[in-house]
Amino acid sequence: MSHTTFKDWPAMAAHLVPAERELHKAAPGVMKAFREMGSAAHEGDALDPKTKELLAVAISVAVRCDPCITFHVEGARKHGATREEIAETIGMAVYMGAGPSAMYAAQALEAYDQYADKAAE
C-alpha cells in the first residue's frame, strides 16, 4: 500500500538493470573502475553501512539523481534505516540544496515508502 505514486521507484531500479548491463559491455574498463571505487568507498569501519547509504541518499537528493535515489534509499532501508532516518537525512539535503532538493526529497521519501510497502507484501 504505497503512500504516493509520483514515480514507481522499484520499477525504475528494475528497468535500469538491463541498461546498466549494456553500459558495462560498452565501457567495461570504466565500469570496472566505477565498481572498484564503490567497493573502496564502502570499506572502513568508521562509518557503518547504513550511515554510508544515508549519506548517499542525501547526496542523491542534492544532485537530483533519480536512479541514485532509488538504489541508495533501498540500500539504506536494507541496512536498517527507518523512514524517520530517511526523513532526517533528506532534511539535511534540503538544507544544503534548497528548493530543488526539496522536490527530490519528497521523491526520496516516496521511494522509501514504496520499497517498505513492497517488502511488507
Side-chain angles (χ1 to χ4, degrees):
M1 138 176 168
S2 188
H3 303 276
T4 60
T5 57
F6 177 65
K7 294 180 182 172
D8 185 341
W9 298 93
M12 180 189 301
H15 291 298
L16 280 168
V17 171
E20 288 177 343
R21 284 188 190 121
E22 288 301 312
L23 180 57
H24 283 266
K25 289 180 199 172
V30 170
M31 295 312 293
K32 180 178 184 267
F34 182 73
R35 280 191 315 273
E36 290 170 353
M37 183 174 54
S39 293
H42 283 89
E43 290 176 356
D45 297 328
L47 297 174
D48 62 81
K50 179 176 79 172
T51 301
K52 290 177 183 179
E53 288 294 337
L54 289 171
L55 285 165
V57 169
I59 294 165
S60 299
V61 169
V63 301
R64 300 167 193 89
C65 176
D66 288 3
C68 302
I69 288 171
T70 193
F71 289 121
H72 292 293
V73 163
E74 177 61 349
R77 190 194 66 78
K78 283 182 175 178
H79 283 292
T82 65
R83 189 176 196 274
E84 292 76 19
E85 288 171 319
I86 294 289
E88 285 190 27
T89 297
I90 60 181
M92 289 303 296
V94 169
Y95 168 65
M96 297 304 296
S101 290
M103 300 303 108
Y104 274 82
Q107 295 178 61
L109 196 57
E110 176 183 79
Y112 180 88
D113 289 341
Q114 289 178 12
Y115 279 111
D117 291 346
K118 188 174 180 180
E121 291 176 358

